[in-house]
Amino acid sequence: MSTLKKSFRIAFILCLLSVSAFSQIIQPPKWEISLSDQSAEVGEEIDLIFRAEIPKNWYIYSNDFDPDLGPMLTELSLEGSKGLEKVGELQAIDPKRKIDEIWEGEVSYFTGKGEFRQKIKITSEQVKVNATLGYQMCSDVTGQCVPYEEDFSKTFSAQATSNTQTQEPVTTFKEQTSEESEKAQNKEVPKTEIAESPEKVTKVSEQAADLSGDPEGKQGDATDLLPFLIAAFLGGLAALLTPCVFPMIPMTVTFFTGRSKNKSQGIKNAFIYGLSIIVIYTLAGTLVAAIQGPEFANWLSTHWLPNIFFFLVFIFFALAFLGLFEITLPSGLVNKMDAKADQGGLTGVFFMAFTLVLVSFSCTGPIVGSILIESAGGEIIKPILGMFAFSLAFAVPFTLFAIFPEWLNGLPKSGGWLNAVKVVLGFLELALAFKFLSVADQVYHWGLLDRDIYLAIWIVIFALLGLYLLGKIRLPHDSPLENLSVPRLLLATITFVFVIYLIPGLFGAPLKSLSGYLPPMATHDFNLEKLIRENKGAAVSESEMTEAPKYADLLHWPHGLQGYFDYEQAFRVAKKENKPLFIDFTGHGCVNCREMEAKVWSNPEVLSRLKNDFVLVALYVDERTELPESEWYTSEYDNKVKKTIGKQNADFQITRFNNNAQPYYVILDNEENLLIRPKAYDTNPQNFVEFLDKAKAEFEK
C-alpha cells in the first residue's frame, strides 16, 4: 500500500473518530420500577416506585416547582394500564432545591440518585402497568440538556379481597422496556458528512467538578472558592483596622517582649500565639462544617426562616458597626481567659490568643459571622478554609510585630480613622443583608423586594457611604474631620462610581457583574432596555421576513431576532434568499440554551451576524403542541409515533445529526450539507463569532 493511501486512510479514520466523538447520543439514567407492596389486595392502594441512577456530572429536574418557570418537569403517564386507578399526582422524594439565576426562581432536582412515587389503587386481580416517564437531564459541566421518555411495562396479580392481614414486603422488579425501545438504544443512525476537516474535539476536563452532589458545580470548585477565600482574607485584614483590634497590637508586643527570657523564646511564643489564633477560628469553621449536610443545606438555602434570620443578623451587625450600640461578651468569661493567660508557658500563650479573640469580638464578630453565613450551604471545606483565610490575615501581623517590635514605630496612631473603618464595614453589612431577604422573597413570592426596589436601596446605601467618606455625614464615635485624606477621597470616588454604575439598572440594564446578588430581571417593573430592543427588532423584521413564520404565536426569538420555527419552511426561505441556514436545537427547559442567549447572543458582534448573514430556525425539542394527525409519522430511530412539534424536532436532531443534547447549533448550505462542524455549549462570544464567520466563508465558496 502506498504512503499516500495510508495517509489518506489514517486521515479518514481520524475524521470519523472526531465526528463520532462530537456527535453522540447521550444515554439516559438507569431506571428501576418497583412496587411498595407486591401482596396487595384488590381495592388497596400501593405505590409505584421509580428509582434512577443518574450519570456523573448530570442531574434531572423534579416536578414540584413552578411549571411556568422554564425547566421541563418530570411527568408520568399511565395510559394503556389496566387493573389500576391513578391516585393523586407523581411525588418526588426528597429532591434538592436551589435558586437558579438563569430561570430566575427556585427549581428542584436530583443528582446521583432520584426517586419518584405514584400512588395507585388496585381495581382487579390482573394488573398491567404501562408507564411512560417524561423528564429532562442536564449537565453544568458539558452545558447540555436532553429530554427523555422512559417506558416501563409490568404485569402482576393482586390477591382477591380477604379478611386475612397480609404482610407488606417490598419487591423490586427490573425495568422492562419494550423490545423496540431496547433496540433503539443500540441502533446505528446515519452519520452526516462534514464539508470541512473537523477540528479536534475539546474534551471535558477529568478534573471538572463532580456534580453528583451539586449541579451548580460549586462544591470544591476553585473558581468559586478562590474569590471567597480572598474576601475572607481581606476580612481578616479589615478586622485589624477596627477600634477593638488595632490598639491590641502594641499590647501584644509588650506581652511577649516583657515575659520572654531571650529573643529566641519570644519568637517561639509569637509563632505559637499566631498559630493559636488560627486554630481557634478554624475550629469555629470546622464546627459549622460538621453540623452541615445536604438536608440542612437544602433547608438553609431555601426556607424563609434561616434567610430572614441571616437578614436580621446582618442588620444587627450593621447597626453595631454604625455606632447604635456595642456588642460585648460577658465580662466574667473574658476575665477567666485573661487569668489563664497570666499563667505563662504555652498554655498562657494559647489563652492570651483566646483573650484577644474574645476582647475583639465586638468588631470581629460581624465579619466572622458574615464569612460563616456566606459559606453555609452543605459544604465541608468552604467554612473551614474561610475561617483559616480570615485568621491567617488576622494572626500574621500580631506574630510579625511580636518578632520585630521595632516595626511598631511605623504604625499610625489610633484615632478617628479606626471608627471610620468600622462604619464603612457597617454600610457594607447593611447592603449585603438584603441578599438574604431577596432569597426568601423569591422563594415565597412575597413581592417585597423586586429588582428595582433592591437597586434603589443599594443606590441609597452606597450614596450615603460616599457622603460619609467625604465627611458630609458624622455618626456616633466619629472624630471631627479637619481635612480629607487622599485614600479617603479615592474610596469616596470608587463608591460614587459604583452608584453611577447601579443607576442604569433601574431602567433595565442587566448589570451582569452583580447577577449573583440582584433579584431576577423578571421582577423588574420597568425594563426600558428590553422594551426598546424588542420593539426595534420587531419593527425592522416584519418587512424583512420572506414568509410569515409558522408557530410564531407559540414561540419567540430573543433579542429582537426574527426567524422560523419549522425546518422545511426555514430551509425553503434560506434557499430563496441564498443564505446559510442556522439551526438552533433548543428547548423551553434548557437552562444552558438560555445562558447562551443571555451571554453570547447578546454580544453585538454575534447579534449582527445572526440578524444579517443567516436565515434562523429554532427547533424546540420539548414543544408539546400536537400536530394534525396527517403530519404524524413513525420514527425509524425508536419506532414511536411522533405527534408533537417537539418530538419531531428531537427525532430530526437524532436521525440527521446523531445528537440528542441541547443547545446544539448547526449551519447548512442550500443543499442541506454541513458547512462547519456543529457547535454545542460555549459561553465565549468570540468563539461563536468565529463559528459563524467560518460557516459564512465556507458558504460563499
Side-chain angles (χ1 to χ4, degrees):
M1 185 182 295
S2 67
T3 305
L4 180 62
K5 286 184 178 180
K6 287 183 179 179
S7 301
F8 177 78
R9 252 183 211 192
I10 292 172
F12 181 72
I13 292 171
L14 289 175
C15 178
L16 289 180
L17 288 174
S18 179
V19 172
S20 63
F22 185 82
S23 301
Q24 59 181 330
I25 303 300
I26 296 172
Q27 295 301 318
K30 295 179 180 179
W31 286 89
E32 185 179 85
I33 183 174
S34 63
L35 305 173
S36 62
D37 182 6
Q38 187 189 6
S39 59
E41 297 180 350
V42 175
E44 289 186 349
E45 294 181 355
I46 62 172
D47 287 339
L48 286 175
I49 305 172
F50 302 90
R51 293 189 176 96
E53 291 185 12
I54 304 166
K56 181 180 178 181
N57 297 337
W58 293 82
Y59 59 95
I60 63 174
Y61 284 106
S62 180
N63 67 338
D64 52 353
F65 57 90
D66 185 355
D68 297 326
L69 197 60
M72 177 178 171
L73 274 64
T74 298
E75 294 183 348
L76 175 67
S77 170
L78 294 176
E79 186 176 350
S81 298
K82 297 179 181 179
L84 60 86
E85 290 180 359
K86 187 177 178 181
V87 180
E89 299 300 325
L90 184 69
Q91 299 294 316
I93 307 303
D94 297 327
K96 300 177 181 179
R97 299 180 184 276
K98 69 171 181 176
I99 298 296
D100 194 301
E101 295 173 5
I102 301 297
W103 293 123
E104 301 180 338
E106 183 194 38
V107 297
S108 57
Y109 58 93
F110 290 102
T111 61
K113 295 182 181 296
E115 181 177 327
F116 295 90
R117 292 190 176 223
Q118 174 63 59
K119 190 174 290 297
I120 59 172
K121 182 177 181 180
I122 308 299
T123 58
S124 71
E125 293 183 14
Q126 295 300 317
V127 181
K128 181 179 180 181
V129 178
N130 281 334
T132 299
L133 203 63
Y135 61 98
Q136 184 180 39
M137 185 172 76
C138 295
S139 170
D140 289 340
V141 170
T142 65
Q144 297 170 304
C145 286
V146 188
Y148 288 109
E149 274 193 355
E150 203 76 27
D151 294 328
F152 305 87
S153 180
K154 182 65 187 175
T155 59
F156 64 95
S157 298
Q159 298 182 12
T161 305
S162 68
N163 295 326
T164 305
Q165 187 175 3
T166 60
Q167 296 179 348
E168 299 184 353
V170 177
T171 305
T172 300
F173 296 91
K174 295 291 183 182
E175 173 196 350
Q176 296 185 356
T177 56
S178 64
E179 291 184 5
E180 293 81 0
S181 177
E182 185 175 345
K183 289 179 181 178
Q185 291 189 11
N186 301 318
K187 184 176 179 180
E188 291 291 335
V189 297
K191 304 287 191 299
T192 305
E193 293 184 358
I194 297 181
E196 66 174 16
S197 298
E199 302 165 7
K200 185 178 180 181
V201 179
T202 303
K203 294 183 179 180
V204 178
S205 171
E206 294 180 357
Q207 297 179 355
D210 180 2
L211 298 186
S212 61
D214 179 15
E216 293 177 278
K218 294 184 178 180
Q219 176 79 359
D221 186 349
T223 59
D224 174 69
L225 193 59
L226 185 59
F228 171 75
L229 294 181
I230 293 174
F233 187 83
L234 294 176
L237 295 179
L240 291 170
L241 302 178
T242 56
C244 316
V245 180
F246 191 79
M248 295 289 291
I249 296 177
M251 293 172 58
T252 302
V253 174
T254 302
F255 171 82
F256 286 114
T257 56
R259 297 195 177 190
S260 301
K261 297 179 180 179
N262 50 57
K263 187 170 184 179
S264 61
Q265 185 183 10
I267 294 175
K268 175 184 175 183
N269 289 340
F271 273 110
I272 295 173
Y273 180 76
L275 183 61
S276 299
I277 294 174
I278 294 174
V279 168
I280 292 168
Y281 279 112
T282 306
L283 283 175
T286 304
L287 180 63
V288 171
I291 65 174
Q292 294 194 79
E295 297 302 323
F296 177 78
N298 184 21
W299 177 81
L300 198 66
S301 61
T302 60
H303 199 276
W304 68 269
L305 184 59
N307 281 285
I308 293 298
F309 173 74
F310 291 153
F311 167 70
L312 295 175
V313 167
F314 268 62
I315 294 293
F316 177 79
F317 287 159
L319 295 178
F321 270 172
L322 292 174
L324 183 62
F325 51 81
E326 290 290 336
I327 304 174
T328 57
L329 289 175
S331 58
L333 177 62
V334 177
N335 292 335
K336 286 182 180 179
M337 293 300 106
D338 191 41
K340 289 183 177 294
D342 289 334
Q343 293 178 0
L346 297 182
T347 303
V349 174
F350 177 81
F351 281 104
M352 179 65 182
F354 216 141
T355 303
L356 171 69
V357 171
L358 295 177
V359 170
S360 62
F361 178 78
S362 61
C363 292
T364 60
I367 302 174
V368 170
S370 303
I371 293 171
L372 291 176
I373 289 172
E374 285 293 332
S375 68
E379 300 186 39
I380 302 300
I381 299 298
K382 198 171 183 180
I384 298 174
L385 292 183
M387 293 311 299
F388 176 80
F390 170 85
S391 60
L392 183 65
F394 190 71
V396 167
F398 279 94
T399 305
L400 291 178
F401 280 113
I403 297 173
F404 306 103
E406 62 273 13
W407 289 4
L408 288 174
N409 297 327
L411 282 179
K413 295 181 179 180
S414 300
W417 67 274
L418 288 175
N419 193 70
V421 171
K422 192 176 176 182
V423 170
V424 170
L425 293 174
F427 276 111
L428 295 177
E429 292 270 351
L430 188 61
L432 292 174
F434 288 93
K435 169 63 178 174
F436 297 100
L437 180 60
S438 174
V439 170
D441 183 61
Q442 292 173 50
V443 172
Y444 291 90
H445 309 290
W446 295 335
L448 300 175
L449 204 60
D450 291 345
R451 186 183 178 92
D452 41 2
I453 297 176
Y454 190 102
L455 283 169
I457 292 172
W458 269 32
I459 288 170
V460 170
I461 289 174
F462 285 100
L464 290 174
L465 174 57
L467 292 174
Y468 173 81
L469 290 170
L470 291 176
K472 303 300 182 182
I473 299 175
R474 281 185 60 187
L475 292 173
H477 313 300
D478 276 334
S479 302
L481 187 63
E482 298 178 357
N483 53 66
L484 191 65
S485 65
V486 173
R488 193 158 177 161
L489 177 62
L490 291 176
L491 284 175
T493 302
I494 293 171
T495 303
F496 282 118
V497 167
F498 183 66
V499 170
I500 295 172
Y501 171 77
L502 292 175
I503 290 174
L506 291 174
F507 306 99
L511 305 181
K512 294 181 181 179
S513 61
L514 296 174
S515 59
Y517 288 93
L518 301 179
M521 187 68 79
T523 65
H524 205 100
D525 290 337
F526 180 60
N527 193 335
L528 182 63
E529 185 264 347
K530 180 180 178 183
L531 192 64
I532 294 173
R533 184 179 63 205
E534 292 188 350
N535 287 342
K536 181 180 178 181
V540 172
S541 60
E542 286 179 3
S543 61
E544 293 180 353
M545 297 292 284
T546 302
E547 297 183 17
K550 293 175 66 175
Y551 317 126
D553 56 328
L554 302 171
L555 307 169
H556 306 281
W557 282 86
H559 308 304
L561 289 168
Q562 293 298 317
Y564 299 88
F565 307 99
D566 177 79
Y567 172 76
E568 292 183 1
Q569 181 187 32
F571 178 72
R572 184 171 62 247
V573 171
K575 204 165 186 178
K576 188 182 299 182
E577 296 185 3
N578 194 31
K579 286 184 176 181
L581 178 64
F582 176 89
I583 305 176
D584 171 25
F585 285 103
T586 184
H588 297 294
C590 175
V591 62
N592 294 307
C593 301
R594 302 293 85 77
E595 188 176 5
M596 286 290 292
E597 292 166 4
K599 293 183 177 180
V600 179
W601 290 21
S602 61
N603 181 278
E605 292 188 51
V606 174
L607 201 56
S608 65
R609 285 165 171 77
L610 290 175
K611 182 177 179 181
N612 300 317
D613 299 340
F614 300 88
V615 170
L616 311 178
V617 58
L619 301 182
Y620 282 80
V621 300
D622 56 359
E623 173 56 47
R624 301 186 180 186
T625 300
E626 188 168 302
L627 295 165
E629 189 171 354
S630 59
E631 298 182 29
W632 297 359
Y633 69 87
T634 301
S635 170
E636 296 179 359
Y637 174 68
D638 59 8
N639 296 317
K640 292 183 179 180
V641 178
K642 305 301 179 183
K643 301 179 181 180
T644 67
I645 294 174
K647 297 297 183 189
Q648 293 192 3
N649 287 337
D651 187 64
F652 175 67
Q653 182 183 356
I654 292 173
T655 56
R656 284 293 301 275
F657 305 105
N658 195 33
N659 188 285
N660 63 343
Q662 300 79 44
Y664 195 66
Y665 307 107
V666 178
I667 303 180
L668 304 180
D669 64 12
N670 293 159
E671 302 298 327
E672 295 188 280
N673 298 315
L674 279 172
L675 290 169
I676 190 173
R677 180 172 62 89
K679 191 170 188 62
Y681 175 82
D682 182 355
T683 55
N684 186 322
Q686 190 55 42
N687 290 347
F688 209 82
V689 168
E690 292 176 4
F691 168 68
L692 298 176
D693 286 347
K694 286 182 179 179
K696 182 183 177 183
E698 190 68 26
F699 179 81
E700 291 174 348
K701 289 180 182 180

